[in-house]
mmCIF file of all heavy atoms in Angstrom:
data_model
loop_
_atom_site.group_PDB
_atom_site.id
_atom_site.type_symbol
_atom_site.label_atom_id
_atom_site.label_comp_id
_atom_site.label_asym_id
_atom_site.label_seq_id
_atom_site.Cartn_x
_atom_site.Cartn_y
_atom_site.Cartn_z
ATOM 1 N N ARG A 63 -10.879 198.453 -93.210
ATOM 2 C CA ARG A 63 -10.201 199.408 -94.137
ATOM 3 C C ARG A 63 -9.581 198.757 -95.440
ATOM 4 O O ARG A 63 -9.660 199.464 -96.462
ATOM 5 C CB ARG A 63 -9.046 200.140 -93.379
ATOM 6 C CG ARG A 63 -9.509 200.913 -92.230
ATOM 7 C CD ARG A 63 -8.332 201.714 -91.620
ATOM 8 N NE ARG A 63 -7.606 202.610 -92.453
ATOM 9 C CZ ARG A 63 -8.017 203.817 -92.662
ATOM 10 N NH1 ARG A 63 -9.065 204.358 -92.093
ATOM 11 N NH2 ARG A 63 -7.343 204.642 -93.477
ATOM 12 N N ILE A 91 -16.995 210.651 -86.713
ATOM 13 C CA ILE A 91 -16.160 211.718 -87.383
ATOM 14 C C ILE A 91 -16.221 213.107 -86.675
ATOM 15 O O ILE A 91 -17.073 213.185 -85.796
ATOM 16 C CB ILE A 91 -16.695 211.880 -88.884
ATOM 17 C CG1 ILE A 91 -18.129 212.580 -88.831
ATOM 18 C CG2 ILE A 91 -16.666 210.660 -89.709
ATOM 19 C CD1 ILE A 91 -18.488 213.154 -90.248
ATOM 20 N N ASP A 95 -14.996 222.913 -85.775
ATOM 21 C CA ASP A 95 -15.876 224.006 -85.496
ATOM 22 C C ASP A 95 -15.741 225.040 -86.539
ATOM 23 O O ASP A 95 -16.763 225.848 -86.829
ATOM 24 C CB ASP A 95 -15.618 224.546 -84.162
ATOM 25 C CG ASP A 95 -16.213 223.764 -83.110
ATOM 26 O OD1 ASP A 95 -17.224 223.098 -83.348
ATOM 27 O OD2 ASP A 95 -15.717 223.929 -81.903
ATOM 28 N N VAL A 96 -14.660 225.203 -87.281
ATOM 29 C CA VAL A 96 -14.420 226.370 -88.111
ATOM 30 C C VAL A 96 -15.117 226.138 -89.473
ATOM 31 O O VAL A 96 -15.148 226.945 -90.294
ATOM 32 C CB VAL A 96 -12.869 226.505 -88.271
ATOM 33 C CG1 VAL A 96 -12.351 225.547 -89.200
ATOM 34 C CG2 VAL A 96 -12.648 228.010 -88.757
ATOM 35 N N PRO A 98 -18.576 225.711 -91.236
ATOM 36 C CA PRO A 98 -20.063 225.668 -91.064
ATOM 37 C C PRO A 98 -20.709 224.639 -91.945
ATOM 38 O O PRO A 98 -20.417 224.519 -93.160
ATOM 39 C CB PRO A 98 -20.527 227.144 -91.593
ATOM 40 C CG PRO A 98 -19.334 227.533 -92.559
ATOM 41 C CD PRO A 98 -18.121 226.760 -92.218
ATOM 42 N N LEU A 99 -21.399 223.748 -91.200
ATOM 43 C CA LEU A 99 -21.845 222.498 -91.982
ATOM 44 C C LEU A 99 -23.202 222.022 -91.405
ATOM 45 O O LEU A 99 -23.150 221.579 -90.206
ATOM 46 C CB LEU A 99 -20.834 221.428 -91.920
ATOM 47 C CG LEU A 99 -21.056 220.325 -92.905
ATOM 48 C CD1 LEU A 99 -20.718 220.610 -94.344
ATOM 49 C CD2 LEU A 99 -20.072 219.116 -92.563
ATOM 50 N N ASP A 103 -26.002 220.018 -95.733
ATOM 51 C CA ASP A 103 -24.755 220.180 -96.473
ATOM 52 C C ASP A 103 -24.005 219.001 -96.536
ATOM 53 O O ASP A 103 -23.383 218.486 -97.383
ATOM 54 C CB ASP A 103 -23.926 221.353 -95.987
ATOM 55 C CG ASP A 103 -24.676 222.590 -95.846
ATOM 56 O OD1 ASP A 103 -25.354 222.965 -96.838
ATOM 57 O OD2 ASP A 103 -24.671 223.160 -94.720
ATOM 58 N N VAL A 107 -22.507 216.436 -99.724
ATOM 59 C CA VAL A 107 -21.021 216.758 -100.009
ATOM 60 C C VAL A 107 -20.581 215.941 -101.316
ATOM 61 O O VAL A 107 -19.891 216.494 -102.134
ATOM 62 C CB VAL A 107 -20.187 216.410 -98.846
ATOM 63 C CG1 VAL A 107 -18.722 216.067 -99.332
ATOM 64 C CG2 VAL A 107 -20.224 217.553 -97.844
ATOM 65 N N SER A 108 -21.061 214.637 -101.303
ATOM 66 C CA SER A 108 -20.563 213.860 -102.493
ATOM 67 C C SER A 108 -21.617 213.679 -103.538
ATOM 68 O O SER A 108 -21.317 212.795 -104.434
ATOM 69 C CB SER A 108 -19.993 212.530 -102.001
ATOM 70 O OG SER A 108 -21.036 211.819 -101.541
ATOM 71 N N ARG A 148 -26.317 209.292 -94.839
ATOM 72 C CA ARG A 148 -25.428 209.804 -95.911
ATOM 73 C C ARG A 148 -25.091 208.572 -96.663
ATOM 74 O O ARG A 148 -24.980 208.543 -97.993
ATOM 75 C CB ARG A 148 -24.172 210.401 -95.324
ATOM 76 C CG ARG A 148 -23.226 210.982 -96.313
ATOM 77 C CD ARG A 148 -21.977 211.333 -95.592
ATOM 78 N NE ARG A 148 -21.090 212.225 -96.370
ATOM 79 C CZ ARG A 148 -20.184 211.809 -97.201
ATOM 80 N NH1 ARG A 148 -19.958 210.356 -97.160
ATOM 81 N NH2 ARG A 148 -19.399 212.594 -97.968
ATOM 82 N N LYS A 152 -26.456 207.139 -101.367
ATOM 83 C CA LYS A 152 -25.860 206.588 -102.564
ATOM 84 C C LYS A 152 -26.431 205.271 -103.181
ATOM 85 O O LYS A 152 -25.963 204.805 -104.133
ATOM 86 C CB LYS A 152 -24.391 206.265 -102.314
ATOM 87 C CG LYS A 152 -23.515 207.380 -102.227
ATOM 88 C CD LYS A 152 -22.145 206.971 -101.590
ATOM 89 C CE LYS A 152 -21.332 205.985 -102.293
ATOM 90 N NZ LYS A 152 -19.931 205.706 -101.769
ATOM 91 N N VAL B 32 -8.220 227.253 -93.788
ATOM 92 C CA VAL B 32 -8.695 227.161 -92.373
ATOM 93 C C VAL B 32 -9.332 225.772 -92.006
ATOM 94 O O VAL B 32 -9.003 225.215 -90.926
ATOM 95 C CB VAL B 32 -9.768 228.344 -92.162
ATOM 96 C CG1 VAL B 32 -10.495 228.167 -90.846
ATOM 97 C CG2 VAL B 32 -9.015 229.612 -92.185
ATOM 98 N N SER B 157 -15.319 217.800 -99.199
ATOM 99 C CA SER B 157 -15.512 216.374 -98.789
ATOM 100 C C SER B 157 -14.240 215.980 -97.988
ATOM 101 O O SER B 157 -14.293 215.352 -96.885
ATOM 102 C CB SER B 157 -15.595 215.566 -100.012
ATOM 103 O OG SER B 157 -15.785 214.286 -99.755
ATOM 104 N N ILE B 160 -13.950 217.294 -94.466
ATOM 105 C CA ILE B 160 -14.743 216.675 -93.442
ATOM 106 C C ILE B 160 -14.266 215.333 -92.995
ATOM 107 O O ILE B 160 -14.004 215.141 -91.821
ATOM 108 C CB ILE B 160 -16.251 216.420 -94.053
ATOM 109 C CG1 ILE B 160 -16.890 217.787 -94.352
ATOM 110 C CG2 ILE B 160 -17.069 215.653 -93.123
ATOM 111 C CD1 ILE B 160 -18.145 217.537 -95.139
ATOM 112 N N ASN B 161 -13.879 214.607 -93.859
ATOM 113 C CA ASN B 161 -13.229 213.160 -93.470
ATOM 114 C C ASN B 161 -12.706 212.546 -94.694
ATOM 115 O O ASN B 161 -13.389 212.266 -95.620
ATOM 116 C CB ASN B 161 -14.361 212.357 -92.868
ATOM 117 C CG ASN B 161 -13.818 211.020 -92.285
ATOM 118 O OD1 ASN B 161 -13.414 210.226 -92.969
ATOM 119 N ND2 ASN B 161 -13.862 210.912 -91.014
ATOM 120 N N ASP B 163 -11.350 209.533 -95.218
ATOM 121 C CA ASP B 163 -11.826 208.188 -95.414
ATOM 122 C C ASP B 163 -13.113 208.159 -96.146
ATOM 123 O O ASP B 163 -13.307 207.491 -97.113
ATOM 124 C CB ASP B 163 -11.919 207.434 -94.113
ATOM 125 C CG ASP B 163 -10.568 207.009 -93.601
ATOM 126 O OD1 ASP B 163 -9.604 207.100 -94.375
ATOM 127 O OD2 ASP B 163 -10.547 206.498 -92.433
ATOM 128 N N ASP B 168 -16.118 207.386 -101.141
ATOM 129 C CA ASP B 168 -17.031 208.112 -102.129
ATOM 130 C C ASP B 168 -16.415 208.289 -103.480
ATOM 131 O O ASP B 168 -17.040 208.821 -104.386
ATOM 132 C CB ASP B 168 -17.547 209.445 -101.726
ATOM 133 C CG ASP B 168 -18.716 209.314 -100.585
ATOM 134 O OD1 ASP B 168 -19.105 208.078 -100.466
ATOM 135 O OD2 ASP B 168 -18.939 210.301 -99.908
ATOM 136 N N ARG B 211 -16.561 232.922 -91.455
ATOM 137 C CA ARG B 211 -17.118 231.738 -90.726
ATOM 138 C C ARG B 211 -18.339 232.214 -89.857
ATOM 139 O O ARG B 211 -19.267 231.445 -89.626
ATOM 140 C CB ARG B 211 -15.986 231.082 -89.829
ATOM 141 C CG ARG B 211 -16.508 230.236 -88.736
ATOM 142 C CD ARG B 211 -17.160 228.950 -89.431
ATOM 143 N NE ARG B 211 -17.661 228.005 -88.455
ATOM 144 C CZ ARG B 211 -18.948 227.901 -88.185
ATOM 145 N NH1 ARG B 211 -19.861 228.770 -88.683
ATOM 146 N NH2 ARG B 211 -19.473 227.022 -87.289
ATOM 147 N N SER B 216 -23.127 227.495 -94.408
ATOM 148 C CA SER B 216 -22.698 226.319 -95.173
ATOM 149 C C SER B 216 -21.269 226.573 -95.726
ATOM 150 O O SER B 216 -20.880 227.711 -95.741
ATOM 151 C CB SER B 216 -23.602 226.020 -96.276
ATOM 152 O OG SER B 216 -23.396 226.951 -97.347
ATOM 153 N N PRO B 217 -20.607 225.472 -95.990
ATOM 154 C CA PRO B 217 -19.250 225.685 -96.562
ATOM 155 C C PRO B 217 -19.146 226.529 -97.808
ATOM 156 O O PRO B 217 -18.222 227.377 -97.982
ATOM 157 C CB PRO B 217 -18.756 224.241 -96.969
ATOM 158 C CG PRO B 217 -19.653 223.363 -96.195
ATOM 159 C CD PRO B 217 -20.987 224.124 -96.038
ATOM 160 N N MET B 220 -19.430 230.123 -96.949
ATOM 161 C CA MET B 220 -18.193 230.561 -96.369
ATOM 162 C C MET B 220 -17.131 231.007 -97.433
ATOM 163 O O MET B 220 -16.534 231.973 -97.291
ATOM 164 C CB MET B 220 -17.660 229.590 -95.399
ATOM 165 C CG MET B 220 -16.365 229.964 -94.667
ATOM 166 S SD MET B 220 -15.990 229.002 -93.279
ATOM 167 C CE MET B 220 -14.176 229.252 -93.110
#
Side-chain angles (χ1 to χ4, degrees):
Chain A
R63 291 183 65 84
I91 65 167
D95 277 338
V96 75
L99 192 72
D103 307 310
V107 160
S108 64
R148 183 186 193 271
K152 280 169 61 180
Chain B
V32 164
S157 179
I160 293 171
N161 187 291
D163 282 350
D168 283 347
R211 167 65 183 102
S216 74
M220 181 164 160

